[in-house]
Amino acid sequence: MYQFGFIGVGNMGGALAAAVCKNCEPSAVCLSNRTREKAEALAKKLGCRTGTNGEAADSDYVFLGVKPQTLPELFSELTPVLKENFERGRRCILVTMAAGVTMEAVEKMSGVPSPVIRIMPNTPLAVGEGMILYTANAAVTEGELSRFTAALSGTGRLDRLEEAEIDAASVLSGCGPAFAFLFADALSAAGEELGLSSEKARLYAEQMLLGSSRLALESGKDLKELTRAVCSPGGTTIEGVKRFEEEGLNAIVSHAVNASYRRTLELAGKEPDGV
């Protein structure tokens, strides 16, 4: 029996496992992966254990870090373990990060009445600046949620929301890093066109995004107010801002976000009505 089991230790699952191992005894964590060598390499680094999917499922919290379409096959392997624990009165909380798969669907696949936490993490959690959206079904107690959030402290920020909101929210926090990297890359390339080295252009773009995000978060000021604070009338910044407005930046961002949202709904088997 383990406190935390991770089934699937790719980039996201591995980063979550590393965060948990910092907040609990690593020997209480079990890793499982389709490629066993990958789990063993990470376990050696973190000081935790490895095992089969069934062994990892014999945990208080079972993180399911696999693709949505592989969940039915995975649960055919996990259900006997979950049923045995259920009959013994042992609670196994399923933590799913499968995009578009509801908690109700996960519980149904598990074969037993299961407490389920649904999360949508993003990649910056690997450096302690992530955003983890989470929601839980009625079977999860507040104490269990507190233990869950404590285990993931150090990953960045966690925010609880209703499941109905998670698809839209995941586009901003989950897809958003890719959009930010695109902007940083474009800004860096523009800097190179002005004669900067690629190394310096990238550094300036990335540090600017980091500092600007922190200023916005810590000041709590309206984003438009922060924008105006950088723009002096007749100055340099306002000219660039005007061009963004002329080129329709808001529309471009809206179109990109809605494209990702439509795909999220499609993966969830929902009709992307009027989006």
Side-chain angles (χ1 to χ4, degrees):
M1 294 183 182
Y2 296 95
Q3 291 181 33
F4 299 91
F6 289 84
I7 300 175
V9 290
N11 290 338
M12 201 69 77
L16 289 167
V20 167
C21 284
K22 291 178 182 177
N23 291 308
C24 76
E25 177 56 49
S27 62
V29 178
C30 181
L31 309 182
S32 176
N33 197 68
R34 183 177 57 181
T35 306
R36 188 176 178 87
E37 293 77 14
K38 188 170 186 177
E40 289 174 344
L42 182 60
K44 183 177 180 181
K45 178 181 177 181
L46 300 179
C48 56
R49 310 290 180 83
T50 60
T52 64
N53 289 343
E55 289 168 336
D58 191 19
S59 302
D60 297 336
Y61 294 80
V62 184
F63 285 75
L64 307 172
V66 300
K67 294 180 180 179
Q69 59 268 32
T70 67
L71 279 175
E73 180 183 355
L74 175 63
F75 272 114
S76 68
E77 186 178 352
L78 303 187
T79 296
V81 177
L82 298 174
K83 281 185 175 179
E84 181 180 349
N85 280 332
F86 178 74
E87 289 165 1
R88 290 162 50 202
R90 178 153 188 249
R91 291 173 66 77
C92 293
I93 301 167
L94 303 176
V95 183
T96 173
M97 60 189 89
V101 182
T102 65
M103 294 184 289
E104 182 181 7
V106 169
E107 183 178 8
K108 186 176 180 179
M109 282 186 274
S110 76
V112 293
S114 296
V116 181
I117 299 174
R118 183 178 173 187
I119 67 172
M120 290 305 294
N122 67 6
T123 53
L125 71 86
V127 293
E129 292 293 348
M131 183 76 244
I132 299 180
L133 311 173
Y134 72 97
T135 189
N137 67 6
V140 183
T141 68
E142 289 301 317
E144 288 166 338
L145 276 176
S146 294
R147 185 182 173 198
F148 162 78
T149 55
L152 292 176
S153 63
T155 59
R157 297 184 181 222
L158 290 93
D159 190 56
R160 187 177 182 179
L161 72 174
E162 296 297 324
E163 187 170 29
E165 302 172 302
I166 205 165
D167 289 331
S170 68
V171 174
L172 269 65
S173 69
C175 304
F179 304 157
F181 298 145
L182 275 174
F183 183 76
D185 189 50
L187 200 61
S188 177
E192 289 182 58
E193 291 175 3
L194 298 178
L196 296 173
S197 69
S198 59
E199 292 80 9
K200 287 189 179 296
R202 175 174 174 172
L203 171 64
Y204 302 155
E206 292 171 350
Q207 181 61 36
M208 178 280 301
L209 284 176
L210 174 64
S212 299
S213 295
R214 185 169 179 178
L215 176 61
L217 283 167
E218 294 187 4
S219 72
K221 292 181 179 179
D222 181 83
L223 295 176
K224 289 184 175 61
E225 181 184 349
L226 289 170
T227 301
R228 289 193 295 269
V230 189
C231 298
S232 301
T236 57
T237 307
I238 191 64
E239 290 304 310
V241 169
K242 286 178 181 176
R243 182 53 60 93
F244 274 130
E245 292 172 344
E246 291 167 4
E247 297 289 339
L249 176 64
N250 283 359
I252 292 170
V253 172
S254 178
H255 293 159
V257 167
N258 278 282
S260 292
Y261 183 54
R262 283 195 300 272
R263 183 56 180 156
T264 299
L265 296 182
E266 288 168 2
L267 289 172
K270 300 175 184 176
E271 189 62 39
D273 244 5
V275 177

